[in-house]
């Protein structure tokens, strides 16, 4: 029996790595639904190649073009937010959640509420609605498998171990392209420099998040919800080679780590095949060739996003939603050349300081806090650079 999968965000970086694996194992997987935001040509190509039965484009103005591109294939074409939810909650057994940003929240929640197995790359969905999502997964019998390489590493290290025997988890971070840059030089960083990650090939938003280290801050919050540990028991460690993807320390002093090439196909394959494993074409580690593995404490002065994210996690309530929304707006503004690199963290910190939002009790509350924060962050951005 082939496993039916839906790929939300099929045209992106994680979506492409997923497709690469799935297309190498046609006997194991059947792609039933694929989605994208606006990239119709690429989505149509993927739907044709995989034989998907449903193709969804979030941008409703692109529905007709997609329908023309897929005419005669038998693939149903839909558009808009409701159709994304349909793709997530439809007949797939495994949903790959690879939409970027809070835009992925509703489809991920729909998959969780439909009791699916969700392979989660879309960390922003968990950061903004962690408690609600973990609660819904328990209620509806959904399984969340982390695709983010660090969380996938922890998940692998925890396999077969009693979670009560974990003393702490350690998330590794490459430090991004500016790990050794002086604070002054960060003022002049360009979007092209920020998206050029030294070890990983990823989408633009997460690449900028890696450069500011906000990515590790979001991952800290993601780890808190996924593994149920408080902030004090989640450590962040800079590891420039991106070979050790994360570590778990147990009460007896043992430390387990997962190592591998910096290739997203490894954690994605683990989620696709779990609890089995899937062969991948990823490069094998050559530890003798590598020679050394380095670790250092993060510099919270040059990379304040790490401190800000930890404060947001510890504050709880609406703070992680505000953090994420302000960050999405600030990163977008930086990529468009409207603000300078260090202003990303400043914008987020200002949004957190000004927010009086109460803890969300529903997904509707989460979306409202997200909306209000985005509007305010946009407005503050226009004041900086109209
Ligand atoms: P990309 O920018 O490469 O791809 C994003 C995907 O989401 C595209 O398919 C895009 O469609 C779609 N999308 C964007 N906006 C919307 C929207 N408003 N509604 C519906 N679909 C939308 O991102 P990545 O693949 O890099 O990242 C995806 C997620 O995975 C992020 O949350 C990221 O943090 C996480 N992640 C990524 C890793 C990586 O290696 N790339 C590693 C670990 C986690 P279109 O092409 O039409 O714009």
């Amino acid at each position: 029996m082939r496993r039916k999968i839906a790929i939300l965000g099929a045209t992106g970086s994680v979506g492409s790595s997923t497709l690469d694996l799935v297309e190498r194992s046609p006997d194991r997987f059947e792609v039933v639904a694929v989605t994208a935001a606006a990239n119709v040509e690429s989505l149509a190509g993927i739907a044709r190649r995989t034989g998907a039965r449903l193709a969804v484009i979030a941008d409703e103005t692109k529905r007709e073009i997609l329908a023309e591109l897929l005419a005669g294939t038998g693939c149903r074409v839909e558009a808009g937010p409701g159709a994304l939810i349909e793709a997530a909650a439809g007949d797939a057994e495994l949903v790959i959640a690879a939409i970027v940003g809070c835009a992925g929240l509703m489809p991920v929640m729909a998959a969780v509420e439909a009791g699916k197995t969700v392979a989660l790359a879309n960390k922003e969905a968990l950061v903004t609605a962690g408690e609600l999502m973990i609660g819904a997964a328990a209620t509806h019998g959904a399984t969340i498998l982390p695709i983010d390489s660090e969380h996938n590493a922890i998940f692998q290290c925890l396999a077969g171990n009693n979670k009560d025997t974990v003393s702490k988890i350690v998330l590794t971070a490459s430090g991004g392209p500016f790990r050794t840059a002086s604070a002054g030089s960060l003022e002049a960083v360009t979007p092209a420099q920020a998206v050029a990650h030294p070890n990983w090939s990823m989408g633009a938003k997460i690449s900028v998040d890696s450069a500011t280290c906000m990515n590790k801050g979001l991952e800290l919050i993601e780890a808190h919800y996924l593994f149920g540990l408080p902030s004090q028991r989640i450590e962040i460690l800079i590891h420039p080679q991106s070979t050790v993807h994360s570590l778990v320390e147990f009460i007896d002093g043992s430390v387990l780590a997962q190592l591998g090439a910096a290739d997203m196909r490894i954690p994605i394959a683990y989620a696709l095949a779990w609890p089995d494993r899937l062969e991948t074409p990823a490069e094998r580690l050559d530890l003798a060739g590598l020679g050394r593995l380095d670790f250092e404490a993060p510099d919270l002065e040059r990379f304040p996003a790490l401190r800000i994210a930890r404060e947001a996690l510890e504050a709880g309530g609406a703070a992680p939603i505000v953090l994420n929304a302000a960050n999405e707006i600030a990163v977008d503004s930086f990529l468009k050349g409207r603000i300078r690199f260090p202003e990303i963290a400043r914008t987020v910190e200002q949004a957190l300081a000004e927010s009086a939002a109460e803890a969300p009790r529903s997904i509707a509350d989460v979306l409202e806090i997200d909306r209000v924060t985005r509007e305010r962050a946009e407005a503050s951005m226009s004041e900086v650079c109209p």
Side-chain angles (χ1 to χ4, degrees):
M1 282 288 282
R2 295 197 299 162
R3 199 155 189 219
K4 291 189 172 101
I5 71 169
I7 308 177
L8 313 179
T11 51
S13 167
V14 171
S16 303
S17 295
T18 305
L19 283 161
D20 179 77
L21 292 168
V22 166
E23 289 175 331
R24 288 170 193 271
S25 296
D27 52 324
R28 291 187 67 161
F29 303 105
E30 178 188 357
V31 178
V32 294
V34 288
T35 81
N39 196 344
V40 263
E41 281 80 14
S42 174
L43 183 65
I46 292 166
R48 277 183 181 274
R49 258 179 22 233
T50 57
R53 288 177 235 146
L54 174 65
V56 176
I57 194 83
D59 180 346
E60 299 187 60
T61 66
K62 302 267 167 71
R63 179 204 295 262
E64 290 313 313
I65 311 173
L66 184 60
E68 278 167 29
L69 290 168
L70 288 173
T73 60
C75 177
R76 187 157 64 88
V77 167
E78 298 291 347
L84 288 174
I85 288 171
E86 194 190 334
D91 53 359
E93 302 154 66
L94 173 63
V95 177
I96 311 296
I99 290 175
V100 62
C102 191
L105 174 57
M106 290 302 282
V108 173
M109 276 306 288
V112 167
E113 285 172 356
K116 308 284 185 194
T117 298
V118 180
L120 187 76
N122 182 201
K123 63 191 80 180
E124 298 90 345
L126 195 61
V127 166
T128 53
E131 258 175 57
L132 296 166
M133 195 182 293
I134 297 297
T139 305
H140 298 280
T143 303
I144 300 177
L145 302 173
I147 281 186
D148 221 347
S149 58
E150 295 77 1
H151 306 75
N152 188 274
I154 293 162
F155 189 71
Q156 293 199 39
C157 294
L158 289 175
N161 285 297
N162 176 353
K163 279 190 188 164
D164 296 340
T165 61
V166 172
S167 53
K168 70 173 178 184
I169 58 182
V170 182
L171 295 173
T172 53
S174 68
F178 311 127
R179 181 176 59 87
T180 56
S182 67
S185 68
L186 293 178
E187 292 285 338
V189 156
T190 65
Q193 291 169 325
V195 297
H197 196 280
N199 305 340
W200 296 93
S201 161
M202 309 184 285
K205 193 260 176 182
I206 185 175
S207 297
V208 175
D209 284 345
S210 294
T212 59
C213 286
M214 183 59 87
N215 182 48
K216 211 50 55 182
L218 296 174
E219 288 179 0
L220 167 74
I221 301 172
E222 187 184 7
H224 162 75
Y225 289 122
L226 282 172
F227 305 113
L229 289 180
S231 169
Q232 309 85 279
R233 286 166 62 198
I234 310 173
E235 193 178 309
I236 292 172
L237 187 65
I238 302 295
H239 167 49
Q241 291 95 348
S242 296
T243 298
V244 177
H245 296 303
S246 277
L247 312 93
V248 178
E249 183 192 277
F250 294 87
I251 51 172
D252 60 0
S254 298
V255 177
L256 298 188
Q258 186 261 351
L259 285 73
D263 185 330
M264 281 304 291
R265 290 176 298 184
I266 297 175
I268 295 171
Y270 191 76
L272 281 173
W274 181 85
D276 197 2
R277 285 194 187 257
L278 184 68
E279 197 171 331
T280 79
E283 204 176 302
R284 274 22 184 181
L285 269 192
D286 171 13
L287 286 173
L290 196 61
R292 55 187 274 182
L293 297 172
D294 298 307
F295 301 95
E296 61 194 59
D299 181 342
L300 303 188
E301 293 297 320
R302 277 182 310 131
F303 298 102
L306 283 173
R307 170 186 56 77
I308 297 167
R310 196 177 281 281
E311 286 169 2
L313 169 59
E314 289 171 3
I321 309 169
V322 173
L323 173 97
N324 180 70
N327 182 58
E328 285 194 31
I329 294 295
V331 169
D332 187 56
S333 298
F334 168 70
L335 285 169
K336 289 176 176 153
R338 287 171 61 198
I339 62 170
R340 290 191 307 273
F341 183 77
E343 278 168 298
I344 299 174
R346 280 181 217 138
T347 304
V348 175
E349 191 155 34
Q350 185 186 336
L352 282 162
E354 289 174 357
S355 171
E358 290 181 7
R361 279 172 300 188
S362 64
I363 292 295
D365 289 349
V366 172
L367 294 175
E368 180 58 13
I369 297 164
D370 176 76
R371 186 190 66 74
V372 170
T373 308
R374 280 168 195 272
E375 270 180 22
R376 288 197 184 142
E378 277 286 4
S380 75
M381 219 72 60
S382 324
E383 285 159 24
V384 175
C385 187

